[in-house]
Amino acid sequence: MSGLINYVSCGALWLGLLVRAPDLLRHRRDPYLRAICAVLGLAGLCFFLGAPPTVGAVNRIGDVPNLAAPVTYVAITGYCAASQLLVVHWRGGPRVRRTARRWLLAYTVVVLGIAVTFALGEAPVERRTDLDTYYATTPFIAQMIVLYLVAHLTAVTVTAVSALRWARRVRGGLRAGLTLLGTGSLCGAGYSVAKLAAVGARWSGRDWSRLGTTVSPAAAGLGALLTVVGVLVPLAAPRITEWRRARRTYTRLEPLERTLDDLLTRRTLRLPRPRLASPTTRLMWRQTSVHNALSHLAPYFDRKLYDRTRAGALAATGEAERAEAAAWAAVITAAVREEADAGRRVPPRDSGGGGGGDDGRFPDRVPDPAVLLRIADALAGAAPAPTPAADAVPSRTTTAGTA
């Protein structure tokens, strides 16, 4: 047999370990991260050692028939111990260390039991795929098999119950990850149950070896896939949420950038568009372009137009934020038209001829990002503002003086 399922499962688990490794390097003393990485690493090692080609290689190197069996069982027991430590740190509480030490002690005893029973038993015929059922009635070897299967079944059952129970109390990516991890642990339980059923059938004189050679590897492989995805989902969920938020913001800013497009192109104020960039990078590019254009337009902002438009929108809607966005939209649109007028000279920035404040200057040269989104909505018609009273089209007098 090629052991393809084993090697693919091993690769998936070690890929998950590779993804989590940077976090472990940054937080070496975090017991939760150490437990997660141990679970992924040891689970992958179990699949690697259990592949028939690896079994044959270990037996040849050790020059002992079926030496790969106790080696693999020890790796599985180590995985069980790591799973229990992970559950202990999940639960938390005042007795975390004491509980962790007890589980470590219990599985250390299991490891010693595997070593002793294999040394006392006799397994002279190499069995790469069906050792569990072939030696199910052999003294000491049978006890070794039952010992590791019960230890594995206990670990995955506790992990599944803990993960699924915790998943009901949380939301978002953590809930999805815990659900997948719990389901993967249930599949791992299917591995042990199928093996135990095949061994029990052998004790009663039946041959259910296919349970151990086909059903068990399939259940273990599916469990490995679900486990690694479950571990990675909580890590990826915040980044995916950030990208979705950035994509929505990027789309909302489009009407404002479209209004400024001619100015951005004519004055070469737009940075080169990023290629194959993340949504966060594309959003930063659009925000920078908008900021550059508004900074260039600042001398043309008309305070009188802003005050008139804001007052009219506030009277019509009663919403201060919506009125502010409508006023900015009117001011920016008018400033774009004025700036494009080749016959107009740029007004001085600090003269006192405007009509809004004490010195006529505009209060904010460039709106903050939250206001920019509302301005874009107003320009897109999402927050239509009433037509301002009097001369809504700006007079030839700017906020800072006359031209």
Side-chain angles (χ1 to χ4, degrees):
M1 294 182 65
S2 65
L4 179 62
I5 293 179
N6 291 69
Y7 291 133
V8 170
S9 301
C10 173
L13 288 160
W14 282 352
L15 177 62
L17 175 62
L18 184 64
V19 172
R20 295 309 301 256
D23 291 334
L24 181 63
L25 292 176
R26 287 193 296 268
H27 309 284
R28 294 183 181 87
R29 297 185 179 180
D30 187 338
Y32 174 71
L33 274 176
R34 289 205 301 263
I36 283 183
C37 291
V39 166
L40 293 174
L42 288 171
L45 181 62
C46 295
F47 281 104
F48 178 78
L49 292 174
T54 307
V55 169
V58 171
N59 292 337
R60 285 195 307 272
I61 293 172
D63 197 25
V64 175
N66 299 306
L67 176 64
V71 172
T72 304
Y73 298 164
V74 167
I76 292 175
T77 304
Y79 161 77
C80 295
S83 298
Q84 294 309 307
L85 293 181
L86 179 61
V87 170
V88 168
H89 290 297
W90 271 351
R91 289 174 174 172
R95 294 184 295 179
V96 169
R97 291 186 178 179
R98 181 184 301 178
T99 306
R101 283 196 297 268
R102 287 178 178 176
W103 279 114
L104 283 175
L105 178 60
Y107 280 99
T108 300
V109 171
V110 173
V111 168
L112 291 176
I114 290 172
V116 170
T117 51
F118 181 76
L120 294 176
E122 293 185 3
V125 180
E126 183 185 63
R127 309 299 298 186
R128 297 189 180 186
T129 60
D130 63 346
L131 182 142
D132 302 301
T133 51
Y134 187 87
Y135 287 107
T137 57
T138 302
F140 295 109
I141 302 298
Q143 284 74 14
M144 178 187 70
I145 294 168
V146 172
L147 181 62
Y148 100 85
L149 287 174
V150 171
H152 180 263
L153 181 60
T154 300
V156 293
T157 301
V158 172
T159 303
V161 171
S162 300
L164 294 175
R165 183 180 296 170
W166 189 17
R168 287 158 41 183
R169 300 198 297 265
V170 295
R171 294 289 182 270
L174 181 57
R175 182 176 191 174
L178 287 169
T179 301
L180 289 168
L181 182 59
T183 306
S185 297
L186 286 177
C187 292
Y191 166 87
S192 297
V193 170
K195 289 273 190 181
L196 285 170
V199 170
R202 182 76 173 83
W203 290 345
S204 61
R206 299 182 180 88
D207 183 12
W208 290 3
S209 59
R210 289 185 63 84
L211 284 177
T213 57
T214 58
V215 176
S216 288
L222 179 59
L225 178 61
L226 293 175
T227 297
V228 71
V229 174
V231 170
L232 295 180
V233 162
L235 179 67
R239 186 170 300 175
I240 293 173
T241 300
E242 179 186 355
W243 284 356
R244 290 176 60 187
R245 188 181 298 114
R247 189 178 294 110
R248 287 196 300 267
T249 304
Y250 177 85
T251 302
R252 282 183 66 187
L253 282 175
E254 183 180 2
L256 178 55
E257 187 192 17
R258 190 165 55 244
T259 300
L260 301 169
D261 182 68
D262 177 69
L263 170 65
L264 288 166
T265 303
R266 185 161 35 83
R267 299 294 185 182
T268 320
L269 299 174
R270 182 187 280 119
L271 297 175
R273 183 185 294 271
R275 296 172 180 257
L276 302 177
S278 68
T280 305
T281 302
R282 291 200 299 270
L283 172 60
M284 187 179 300
W285 169 80
R286 177 163 280 177
Q287 287 174 328
T288 302
S289 298
V290 169
H291 188 275
N292 289 345
L294 294 181
S295 296
H296 181 82
L297 287 175
Y300 298 93
F301 289 162
D302 190 334
R303 177 60 181 266
K304 287 184 178 180
L305 175 60
Y306 177 88
D307 290 340
R308 274 197 312 274
T309 307
R310 186 180 184 279
L314 186 60
T317 65
E319 299 177 15
E321 290 184 350
R322 187 176 178 185
E324 180 188 22
W328 270 113
V331 167
I332 291 171
T333 302
V336 169
R337 289 200 300 268
E338 287 195 59
E339 194 278 339
D341 185 353
R344 288 189 57 81
R345 70 178 176 85
V346 177
R349 291 176 180 267
D350 297 323
S351 71
D358 294 336
D359 61 359
R361 288 178 292 182
F362 214 80
D364 297 305
R365 289 183 57 201
V366 178
D368 62 51
V371 178
L372 288 179
L373 290 176
R374 294 194 291 270
I375 295 171
D377 291 340
L379 289 170
T387 303
D391 51 337
V393 177
S395 63
R396 307 305 279 181
T397 302
T398 69
T399 62
T402 58

